[in-house]
């Protein structure tokens, strides 16, 4: 029974806490169930179902904490895991940054759970993958894809009276298409809370179109270009920016650090068209309304019209600095504009359309300078039209600099980062002076 109801989770956690002899004790319970299908060369290679549940107990004496986990829930096992966590706590070194556990709090519910997604079956997954494979076969391309759905829950309770519960569901689909010679490639990724929004056939058509249109790519000189980043490419660039951590900023280790000390809180960091926030109640990208330490999450504005509005403060760092704690967001959303991707292209005299980025590595954390490669469809734009596919580039660029060179934003879309397997709401964006440093023969 991996998916516990709120009442079932509460009853189990109360039982576990009743065994505790520690000064403080926190119990967390989580489980998920779902399934997946993986395919390559237009044929299913693996398929499976997953069902897991586990419980963790953290016992505290003073500022010494120990955690033990277990996945069997008879009374003897539950008492045993509590005793083990207490033994570990007694052996642990003192943690000078330990913060006492929080007391009771009210947590609003977020629309993170969807019955359609939770009800997916091996048959429904096979049908969705079958539609994808049929399209790539008709296009005489090879496809490699992955479809996965998961439904789960998390709950915490502590000896101070705090209890929090959240249930969620999610489905993701990614596909790469290539020609037989391996000289052309296309890609598409989709992710939703509600599976009824997922159209694997439509996504596959996008990937096949990219593969067919990228055949015969030409080499052009590296340099600074106006680029249009599709949402997937923009997501890969921005993900490293979505850590608005106060401590690293105040210790001089972040792009949010100010030269000479302090942070850039309240300063104009990027173009006024940029607004980034977290909102657990967003219908297209809902998130949990509480964090792992039990702090409630609300809508939080991180950057508003280019100005840094908030930094995330852990409870320890907030106490040290004499401010209120601000939890990290459970999602990240960037406001977009009204133009479609096609309209952004139409308004570009000369530029490059980037479908996707990959193999991204950090060069300099303080400036957020990144390096990586384009892939799966890169095109030259002239007089508002895609003229021809071009060979891939290596880029060297910072998302902070990029967002200061912002010319236009399109309509936001939910995009997946395969690096973290997180979803974001990100618009396509038109950027001037994006730096391509060299050519790459990779497809």
């Amino acid at each position: 029974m991996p998916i516990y109801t709120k009442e079932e989770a509460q009853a189990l956690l109360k039982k576990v806490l009743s065994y505790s002899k520690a000064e403080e004790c926190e119990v967390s319970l989580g489980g998920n169930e779902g399934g997946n299908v993986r395919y390559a060369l237009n044929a299913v290679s693996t398929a499976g179902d997953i069902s897991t549940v586990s419980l963790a107990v953290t016992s505290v004496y003073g500022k010494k904490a120990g955690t033990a986990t277990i996945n069997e829930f008879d009374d003897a096992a539950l008492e045993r895991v509590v005793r083990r966590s207490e033994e570990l706590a007694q052996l642990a070194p003192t943690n000078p940054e330990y913060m006492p556990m929080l007391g009771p709090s009210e947590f609003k519910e977020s629309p993170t759970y969807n019955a359609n997604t939770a009800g997916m079956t091996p048959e429904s997954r096979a049908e969705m993958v079958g539609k994808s494979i049929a399209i790539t076969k008709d296009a005489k391309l090879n496809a490699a894809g992955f479809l996965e759905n998961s439904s789960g829950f998390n709950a915490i309770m502590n000896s101070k009276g705090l209890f929090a519960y959240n249930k969620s569901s999610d489905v993701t689909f990614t596909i790469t298409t290539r020609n037989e010679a391996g000289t052309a490639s296309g890609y598409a990724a989709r992710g939703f809370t509600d599976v009824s929004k997922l159209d694997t056939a439509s996504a596959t058509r996008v990937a096949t179109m990219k593969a067919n249109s990228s055949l015969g790519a030409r080499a052009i000189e590296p340099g600074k270009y106006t680029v249009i980043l599709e949402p997937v490419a923009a997501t890969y660039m921005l993900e490293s920016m979505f850590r608005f951590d106060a401590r690293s900023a105040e210790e001089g280790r972040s792009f949010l650090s100010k030269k000479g000390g302090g942070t850039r809180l309240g300063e104009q960091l990027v173009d006024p068209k940029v607004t980034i926030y977290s909102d657990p109640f967003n219908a297209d990208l809902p998130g949990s309304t509480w964090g792992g330490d039990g702090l409630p999450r609300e809508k939080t504005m991180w950057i508003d019209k280019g100005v840094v509005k908030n930094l995330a403060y852990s409870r320890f760092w907030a106490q040290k600095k004499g401010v209120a704690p601000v939890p990290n967001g459970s999602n990240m959303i960037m406001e977009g504009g009204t133009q479609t991707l096609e309209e952004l292209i139409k308004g570009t005299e000369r530029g490059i359309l980037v479908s996707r980025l990959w193999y991204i590595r950090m060069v300099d954390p303080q400036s957020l300078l990144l390096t990586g490669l384009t892939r799966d469809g890169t095109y030259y734009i002239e007089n508002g039209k895609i003229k021809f596919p071009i060979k891939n580039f290596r880029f060297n660029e910072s998302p902070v600099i990029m967002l200061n060179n912002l010319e236009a934003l399109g309509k936001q879309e939910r995009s997946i980062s395969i690096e973290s397997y997180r979803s974001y709401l990100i618009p396509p964006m038109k950027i001037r002076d994006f730096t391509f440093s060299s050519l790459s023969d990779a497809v």
Side-chain angles (χ1 to χ4, degrees):
M1 188 173 62
I3 307 298
Y4 282 65
T5 66
K6 185 176 183 179
E7 293 72 24
E8 289 168 340
Q10 193 169 28
L12 178 59
L13 296 178
K14 279 183 178 178
K15 179 189 284 189
V16 177
L17 279 175
S18 71
Y19 296 124
S20 175
K21 298 177 182 178
E23 294 173 10
E24 289 186 316
C25 184
E26 180 183 272
V27 188
S28 61
L29 180 68
N32 69 81
E33 59 185 6
N36 60 77
V37 178
R38 188 183 301 275
Y39 57 106
L41 297 175
N42 294 336
V44 171
S45 55
T46 62
D49 282 283
I50 300 169
S51 180
T52 63
V53 63
S54 64
L55 181 141
V57 181
T58 298
S59 296
V60 180
Y61 294 91
K63 290 194 171 187
K64 300 165 65 174
T67 301
T69 61
I70 201 166
N71 61 0
E72 52 183 335
F73 301 142
D74 60 89
D75 289 354
L78 294 176
E79 185 170 7
R80 186 168 66 249
V81 74
V82 173
R83 297 286 88 82
R84 180 59 175 158
S85 72
E86 291 170 349
E87 292 170 5
L88 292 171
Q90 298 284 14
L91 295 169
T94 297
N95 178 5
E97 297 186 4
Y98 176 78
M99 294 296 293
M101 294 179 183
L102 294 169
S105 184
E106 292 293 324
F107 302 102
K108 300 174 185 177
E109 289 194 17
S110 175
T112 49
Y113 180 79
N114 182 271
N116 290 329
T117 307
M120 290 180 68
T121 63
E123 291 77 15
S124 64
R125 288 191 293 270
E127 182 181 357
M128 297 171 81
V129 167
K131 292 177 180 178
S132 172
I133 292 175
I135 290 169
T136 53
K137 283 183 175 179
D138 287 344
K140 294 183 171 49
L141 297 171
N142 283 320
F146 188 59
L147 172 69
E148 181 176 36
N149 69 283
S150 178
S151 297
F153 80 99
N154 287 287
I156 59 171
M157 182 183 287
N158 68 28
S159 52
K160 296 284 187 70
L162 181 142
F163 173 69
Y165 175 89
N166 187 70
K167 189 165 63 169
S168 62
S169 59
D170 196 52
V171 59
T172 57
F173 174 69
T174 60
I175 179 170
T176 299
T177 57
R178 289 200 168 197
N179 62 353
E180 289 285 348
T183 56
S185 181
Y187 177 82
R190 301 287 186 269
F192 298 100
T193 303
D194 183 356
V195 68
S196 66
K197 296 180 179 180
L198 174 60
D199 185 345
T200 56
S202 174
T204 303
R205 289 188 192 98
V206 170
T208 57
M209 179 274 291
K210 294 281 188 183
N212 287 327
S213 62
S214 65
L215 189 62
R218 307 181 197 176
I220 66 172
E221 286 297 314
K224 290 186 177 292
Y225 288 88
T226 294
V227 301
I228 296 175
L229 299 177
E230 294 193 21
V232 170
T235 293
Y236 277 59
M237 280 298 295
L238 295 179
E239 188 172 32
S240 60
M241 187 179 178
F242 293 153
R243 300 180 184 93
F244 299 97
D245 180 61
R247 183 171 186 171
S248 60
E250 290 172 352
E251 291 179 342
R253 298 181 285 111
S254 164
F255 71 99
L256 293 166
S257 303
K258 186 187 292 186
K259 289 184 179 179
T263 74
R264 301 194 65 179
L265 184 65
E267 291 188 7
Q268 189 84 33
L269 179 71
V270 290
D271 189 278
K273 290 187 282 295
V274 177
T275 294
I276 298 171
Y277 62 94
S278 300
D279 182 7
F281 306 102
N282 184 282
D284 293 318
L285 187 67
S288 174
T289 58
W290 51 274
D293 56 1
L295 278 175
R297 285 170 169 160
E298 298 282 351
K299 182 175 180 178
T300 303
M301 193 67 67
W302 303 107
I303 296 178
D304 185 21
K305 296 179 176 62
V307 177
V308 181
K309 288 295 186 180
N310 279 292
L311 298 177
Y313 280 84
S314 67
R315 291 176 59 224
F316 167 77
W317 199 249
Q319 182 186 66
K320 185 178 177 70
K321 295 297 179 178
V323 299
V326 179
N328 285 304
S330 55
N331 57 17
M332 283 291 172
I333 300 163
M334 181 173 174
E335 288 186 357
T338 59
Q339 296 183 79
T340 64
L341 180 65
E342 291 72 23
E343 288 170 336
L344 290 177
I345 294 170
K346 190 175 181 180
T348 303
E349 185 177 350
R350 285 182 178 81
I352 293 173
L353 174 65
V354 178
S355 300
R356 186 186 176 203
L357 302 171
W358 75 296
Y359 203 49
I360 297 174
R361 295 294 182 267
M362 182 71 70
V363 177
D364 177 20
Q366 290 182 313
S367 65
L368 275 190
L369 181 63
L370 306 175
T371 188
L373 297 163
T374 65
R375 69 175 296 179
D376 298 319
T378 309
Y379 307 91
Y380 184 70
I381 301 167
E382 189 174 85
N383 297 324
K385 294 181 179 180
I386 294 175
K387 286 294 185 179
F388 50 82
I390 58 176
K391 284 194 172 184
N392 286 308
F393 283 114
R394 172 167 291 280
F395 70 87
N396 287 278
E397 191 60 86
S398 163
V400 178
I401 295 173
M402 182 182 88
L403 292 181
N404 274 288
N405 291 335
L406 181 64
E407 292 194 352
L409 293 171
K411 297 177 180 178
Q412 64 177 199
E413 297 179 14
R414 182 163 167 170
S415 298
I416 305 168
S417 167
I418 302 303
E419 294 286 329
S420 65
Y421 240 77
R422 289 190 63 183
S423 291
Y424 303 90
L425 278 177
I426 302 292
M429 50 190 68
K430 182 177 175 180
I431 309 291
R432 64 181 175 275
D433 294 333
F434 191 92
T435 306
F436 293 115
S437 55
S438 62
L439 285 169
S440 170
D441 286 327
V443 175

